[in-house]
Amino acid sequence: MGDRNPWRVTVDNKTGYVYWGEVGPDAVVDSVYGSRGYDEFNQARKAGFFGWPYFIGDNRAYVKYNYADSTYGETFNPLHPVNNSPNNTGLKELPPAQKAFIWYPYGTSDTFPLVGSSGRCAVGGPVFHKDNFKNAARPWSSYFEDKWLITDFMRGWIMAVTMDKDGNYKSMEQVLPNENFGSAIDMQFSPDGDLYLLEYGTAWFQGNANSALVRIEYNGGNRKPVVEASADKTAGAIPLTVNLSSKGTMDYDKYDKDALKYEWRITGSGLNKTFNDANPSVTFDNVGIYDATLTVTDTKGEQSSKSLKITAGNEPPAVTVNILKGNKTFFFPNETIGYSIDVKDREDGSIADGKINPGLVAVNFDYVPGNFDLIEITKQRFNTTNGPTSFSAGSYLVNINDCKSCHTLNTTSVGPSFRDISLKYKSNEKIVPELAEKIISGGSGVWGDHVMSAHPNLPQKDAERIVKYILSLSQKQKSSVTLPLKGSFMAKVPGGESNNGGYLLQASYTDKGSGVSAPLSS
């Protein structure tokens, strides 16, 4: 007894111990009620009392509360808990409370720092014993023997928990640390030794396109080559000569690159040609779209492949950005930056000759805070259909945090849509700090009973950027063509921002395509 919300219970068939994840209360900080909230992973070696609702985490006690006169008393005693509730029909003198096996709050845990911070939702998993998979095709390594695998719905990791011979906690480590297993709601081994994860997807109570059943296979033998395929150009007018490259291809088991066998196969538009060089040069004489597939075979016969699309018959547009006043390195607040954009396309013509409509060129000039990665921003913001959209720090932060686990743009999920929030507060500009604080601290009651997770490690400034982005969604959206092709721009530092940021000038044009060739963007 004493469990608040146990999730995914596992029985260790070797020891008989019971393991489970437990979702805790949402309190962000300690209060007059007692401790802040913690999620837990628990182990039961025998029947016992696991604390709730008197204790949380490592037996952090709550305070007695008198509902008759709304007064607070002393804290509960984990060594001698007493249940005096008038609704209690069982024991009043409870067994000593068992503290959690692993516990962590919204913020960073001093005891278990590896679990990270942000929203939390502990999901239990299996304890691995290789004897359970004697006839399995590919059982996991003995390295994981007796380890308990756990995950968290919100944080996207899998941990392997190591215990001593008595089942006491020793340590944990992340399994596949470069992968993200967000929205995992169950995790089990199959009889053939593979680990399966069921991923719910981004939005609540909807048919999520990113729901998934994930299988993790253990390969204890020869590993397949890791293939990288690239080209110096992937589109151009005919005749088109392309230099293909296998640079970056490697084999973990054989460090002698010369031992690998390479095969490039070029197909499409009636062409079917094979090259056995690692880095061949290919000339395309006919208009069309081609597949260039590199297959690499190691000394054990294992293969991996990777493909490229080559478009022949359409030269990509050439988009040029010129700074006419100032320079491309520094800007000075409240001074103008002169610029011009030039576009040329072999098939479509150019801006200069009047054959390209200036209205089809998307141009944006946006302030970017100094702690943002410009390379990542340009990757995220460029859209081959509409060109680069205007940069929003808040939108960028929404995408890299866990906001979309509970909110979507236009539809209600577990929380309200961003559009509905924007409409509710659109006439209240002074609400920004208050809503930012709610993002950081968590809260409930405005949109229903569900509690929004806290984000205690999110800086106040970033939380305000998220709020400003959400509130802007109720405003009439501007066209993606926000600036003319030639002009000057006043480089002001936006209100509330420090002057250690920069301005990002983005321009793009999508051509009309050519024959069977699809349109190309630059």
Side-chain angles (χ1 to χ4, degrees):
M1 63 178 294
D3 295 307
R4 181 182 185 273
N5 193 351
W7 201 14
R8 302 311 183 204
V9 178
T10 294
V11 178
D12 183 344
N13 69 327
K14 180 178 177 181
T15 63
Y17 297 166
V18 180
Y19 294 87
W20 67 96
E22 186 149 340
V23 182
D26 290 290
V28 182
V29 296
D30 297 342
S31 68
V32 292
Y33 296 103
S35 173
R36 61 178 169 171
Y38 289 83
D39 271 26
E40 301 176 355
F41 289 99
N42 279 312
Q43 175 201 73
R45 304 182 193 180
K46 60 181 180 180
F49 173 57
F50 287 85
W52 186 259
Y54 305 115
F55 314 99
I56 194 73
D58 55 337
N59 278 348
R60 301 177 186 219
Y62 289 102
V63 175
K64 291 181 181 179
Y65 180 73
N66 189 322
Y67 287 89
D69 59 10
S70 301
T71 59
Y72 298 93
E74 69 272 18
T75 57
F76 291 100
N77 180 1
L79 297 178
H80 187 216
V82 178
N83 182 356
N84 283 321
S85 168
N87 300 314
N88 179 24
T89 59
L91 292 176
K92 287 191 174 183
E93 304 281 335
L94 302 179
Q98 306 297 305
K99 75 174 187 177
F101 196 67
I102 297 167
W103 61 97
Y104 55 100
Y106 284 125
T108 302
S109 167
D110 294 333
T111 311
F112 307 99
L114 194 61
V115 300
S117 61
S118 80
R120 49 184 169 82
C121 191
V123 183
V127 178
F128 179 78
H129 300 302
K130 200 164 186 176
D131 282 349
N132 294 337
F133 309 99
K134 290 180 179 178
N135 298 316
R138 44 183 177 268
W140 279 37
S141 166
S142 298
Y143 176 82
F144 292 96
E145 186 67 28
D146 298 333
K147 297 184 192 295
W148 180 25
L149 300 181
I150 58 176
T151 185
D152 184 290
F153 175 87
M154 298 293 289
R155 301 192 182 186
W157 41 249
I158 298 175
M159 298 289 178
V161 179
T162 300
M163 296 166 277
D164 64 19
K165 61 182 178 60
D166 297 318
N168 300 310
Y169 175 90
K170 286 182 64 178
S171 63
M172 71 169 69
E173 62 189 295
Q174 195 166 351
V175 179
L176 298 174
N178 293 327
E179 300 292 333
N180 185 290
F181 302 100
S183 306
I185 59 173
D186 205 358
M187 179 168 59
Q188 294 183 28
F189 281 104
S190 67
D192 58 9
D194 298 333
L195 183 68
Y196 283 81
L197 281 91
L198 188 63
E199 294 185 352
Y200 184 89
T202 304
W204 291 70
F205 313 123
Q206 298 182 39
N208 290 315
N210 61 340
S211 297
L213 182 63
V214 178
R215 183 178 71 246
I216 301 175
E217 300 177 2
Y218 177 77
N219 175 14
N222 178 60
R223 289 165 287 185
K224 294 181 179 181
V226 177
V227 174
E228 294 295 338
S230 60
D232 63 342
K233 62 182 76 171
T234 56
I238 57 172
L240 172 64
T241 299
V242 176
N243 296 310
L244 300 171
S245 173
S246 61
K247 183 179 180 180
T249 296
M250 63 167 293
D251 183 23
Y252 285 108
D253 301 299
K254 296 290 182 182
Y255 295 99
D256 180 7
K257 188 179 179 183
D258 295 334
L260 299 175
K261 293 181 180 179
Y262 297 82
E263 180 188 273
W264 282 94
R265 183 175 293 277
I266 315 299
T267 58
S269 298
L271 184 65
N272 190 340
K273 206 167 185 178
T274 300
F275 299 85
N276 295 119
D277 300 331
N279 307 299
S281 179
V282 185
T283 298
F284 300 89
D285 296 313
N286 298 316
V287 172
I289 300 175
Y290 300 85
D291 288 314
T293 302
L294 171 60
T295 300
V296 180
T297 308
D298 67 13
T299 56
K300 300 291 186 181
E302 293 283 2
Q303 295 182 333
S304 293
S305 299
K306 202 162 194 176
S307 294
L308 300 171
K309 288 282 185 188
I310 308 292
T311 302
N314 184 19
E315 191 81 21
V319 180
T320 306
V321 174
N322 303 297
I323 299 297
L324 304 177
K325 179 184 177 183
N327 59 67
K328 293 185 178 182
T329 307
F330 299 101
F331 84 91
F332 297 90
N334 301 316
E335 293 188 10
T336 58
I337 300 173
Y339 70 92
S340 69
I341 308 297
D342 187 34
V343 179
K344 297 178 182 178
D345 185 80
R346 179 166 177 166
E347 293 79 24
D348 294 2
S350 68
I351 293 291
D353 65 17
K355 292 183 178 180
I356 291 180
N357 180 353
L360 298 178
V361 183
V363 181
N364 287 288
F365 219 151
D366 300 295
Y367 184 81
V368 179
N371 59 333
F372 286 67
D373 187 330
L374 285 176
I375 295 175
E376 286 301 316
I377 287 169
T378 52
K379 282 182 183 178
Q380 287 194 20
R381 302 309 300 174
F382 186 78
N383 179 298
T384 55
T385 302
N386 300 314
T389 55
S390 184
F391 171 75
S392 162
S395 174
Y396 177 79
L397 290 164
V398 164
N399 287 326
I400 65 172
N401 284 285
D402 63 0
C403 308
K404 291 184 176 180
S405 294
C406 298
H407 302 277
T408 64
L409 182 62
N410 291 310
T411 58
T412 300
S413 180
V414 70
S417 71
F418 289 140
R419 192 84 66 187
D420 286 344
I421 296 171
S422 178
L423 291 170
K424 181 178 180 66
Y425 298 108
K426 66 179 181 179
S427 60
N428 187 355
E429 296 180 1
K430 296 180 180 179
I431 200 71
V432 172
E434 180 182 333
L435 294 181
E437 181 58 35
K438 183 172 285 190
I439 291 174
I440 295 170
S441 302
S444 65
V446 177
W447 299 91
D449 294 332
H450 188 85
V451 177
M452 182 175 70
S453 298
H455 302 82
N457 290 348
L458 188 68
Q460 176 76 20
K461 179 66 69 176
D462 283 353
E464 291 183 3
R465 288 171 175 144
I466 291 174
V467 172
K468 289 176 181 177
Y469 160 68
I470 295 172
L471 297 186
S472 73
L473 295 174
S474 62
Q475 302 169 6
K476 186 175 181 180
Q477 298 302 299
K478 297 179 181 179
S479 166
S480 61
V481 184
T482 56
L483 292 174
L485 298 189
K486 185 176 181 179
S488 60
F489 186 87
M490 178 64 74
K492 294 182 178 180
V493 177
E497 294 288 357
S498 63
N499 61 0
N500 66 342
Y503 267 93
L504 175 65
L505 175 57
Q506 298 180 93
S508 79
Y509 172 71
T510 301
D511 69 18
K512 299 175 183 177
S514 176
V516 298
S517 171
L520 298 173
S521 297
S522 295

